[in-house]
């Protein structure tokens, strides 16, 4: 059994993603280590080298979580895998409640934003932001908050004995979140099947000169390395300079290694955050 540190509590989407990943890839169950903040996830992994961290990194609607890119880079932990999860929100409340008796809806602000169109059909309710989707469900159950509903996963609703009043309430049904698993370097090898590695996450800066980024991307293309994600983050204290977080996929490991060697002289602070198998 693996101990996985997540932001949130049992029933959160991080929980679902962790269980899916380890069931599919290792046929293992997971023991959750709930954390309040993403920085607490990093701290938990660094404190106990056997703990693996799971962090959302981007959502097809809300975009990238820039703070998590930075937390991973600064941590010196290794990215060992990814999981993509379809996010479907439900409206859940105590069994005695109905849509008509709900006066307040609680959830994480991003979940509320993703369900805005549905929530606008409930003009009689107050919308209140909370720290986590599953925590909202947990609080309603533990405090027996009549008249309150949570926007959460069906899994969280069932976990905390809530009744699902409506499901699939997200505005955009093509709602997916991508998560990254991070671990200490000394256990990274046992979590990655190097025969299946075909994706990498790297970070670098380039000189503040014309065409510097374009040159890097052209060379990667020459070596048949495909860019699937590029995210720029401003560098504090260095006006108009950026750190680039890039995800790359490849089919030939040797050409990939050669491509990285070719771009390193054109970059500064180049670092491979992790090599792992792409999740389709």
């Amino acid at each position: 059994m693996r101990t996985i540190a997540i932001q949130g509590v049992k029933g959160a989407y991080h929980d679902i993603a962790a269980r899916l990943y380890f069931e599919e890839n290792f046929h293992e169950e997971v023991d959750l280590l709930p954390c309040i903040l993403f920085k607490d996830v990093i701290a938990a992994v660094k404190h106990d080298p056997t703990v693996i961290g799971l962090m959302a990194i981007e959502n097809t609607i809300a975009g990238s979580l820039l703070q998590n890119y930075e937390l991973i880079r600064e941590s010196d932990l290794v990215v060992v895998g990814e999981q993509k999860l379809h996010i479907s929100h439900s409206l859940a409340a105590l069994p005695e409640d109905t849509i008509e008796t709900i006066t307040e809806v609680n959830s994480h602000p991003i979940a509320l934003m993703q369900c805005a169109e549905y929530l606008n059909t409930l003009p009689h309710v107050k919308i209140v932001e909370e720290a986590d989707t599953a925590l909202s469900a947990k609080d309603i159950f533990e405090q027996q908050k009549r008249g309150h509903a949570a926007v959460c996963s069906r899994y969280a609703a069932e976990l905390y004995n809530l009744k699902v009043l409506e499901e699939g309430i997200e505005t955009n049904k093509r709602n997916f979140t991508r998560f990254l698993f991070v671990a200490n370097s000394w256990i990274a090898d046992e979590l990655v099947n190097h025969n299946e590695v075909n994706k990498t996450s790297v970070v670098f800066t380039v000189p503040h000169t014309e065409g510097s980024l374009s040159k890097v991307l052209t060379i990667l293309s020459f070596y048949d390395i495909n860019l699937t994600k590029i995210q720029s983050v401003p560098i504090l204290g260095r006006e108009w300079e950026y750190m680039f977080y890039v995800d790359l996929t490849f089919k030939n490991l040797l050409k990939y290694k050669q491509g990285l060697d070719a771009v390193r002289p054109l970059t500064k602070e180049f670092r491979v955050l992790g090599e792992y198998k792409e999740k389709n």
Side-chain angles (χ1 to χ4, degrees), residues 24-207:
E24 290 177 0
N25 293 282
F26 298 97
H27 307 292
E28 290 186 44
E29 295 183 354
V30 302
D31 180 30
L32 287 185
L33 178 58
C35 299
I36 297 174
L37 302 172
F38 284 114
K39 69 176 183 179
D40 300 329
V41 172
I42 295 293
V45 179
K46 297 188 78 170
H47 174 72
D48 182 347
T50 65
V51 172
I52 301 161
L54 177 61
M55 303 174 71
I57 201 70
E58 62 178 319
N59 175 266
T60 51
I61 298 171
S64 298
L65 281 75
L66 299 185
Q67 62 162 348
N68 288 357
Y69 279 102
E70 291 289 83
L71 284 170
I72 293 172
R73 179 182 64 84
E74 294 169 356
S75 71
D76 288 329
L77 299 177
V78 180
V79 177
V80 294
E82 67 176 4
Q83 179 68 40
K84 296 171 183 174
L85 182 68
H86 179 229
I87 306 296
S88 182
H89 297 300
S90 296
L91 187 72
L94 292 172
E96 300 82 5
D97 274 312
T98 65
I99 292 288
E100 290 71 27
T101 63
I102 298 302
T103 58
E104 182 172 312
V105 174
N106 312 127
S107 196
H108 189 279
I110 291 181
L112 294 172
M113 178 271 290
Q114 292 174 346
C115 301
E117 189 174 293
Y118 171 80
L119 295 175
N120 286 339
T121 69
L122 307 175
H124 60 286
V125 304
K126 179 182 178 182
I127 307 299
V128 179
E129 296 182 355
E130 301 288 356
D132 182 61
T133 56
L135 183 59
S136 299
K138 184 173 185 280
D139 286 346
I140 289 172
F141 168 68
E142 291 184 344
Q143 299 173 34
Q144 290 294 291
K145 296 164 77 171
R146 288 291 304 272
H148 286 239
V151 173
C152 60
S153 66
R154 170 174 273 280
Y155 171 57
E158 294 172 349
L159 194 63
Y160 296 112
N161 297 315
L162 301 184
K163 178 173 67 176
V164 174
L165 303 176
E166 294 280 356
E167 58 183 330
I169 64 172
E170 64 279 2
T171 303
N172 190 324
K173 306 306 178 184
R174 300 293 297 170
N175 184 8
F176 292 84
T177 295
R178 177 172 167 253
F179 301 84
L180 292 180
F181 289 88
V182 294
N184 283 277
S185 57
W186 74 273
I187 69 164
D189 280 347
E190 70 179 74
L191 296 168
V192 178
N193 183 338
H194 292 278
N195 293 322
E196 297 181 341
V197 164
N198 62 351
K199 188 170 185 178
T200 186
S201 294
V202 302
V203 59
F204 58 84
T205 61
V206 292

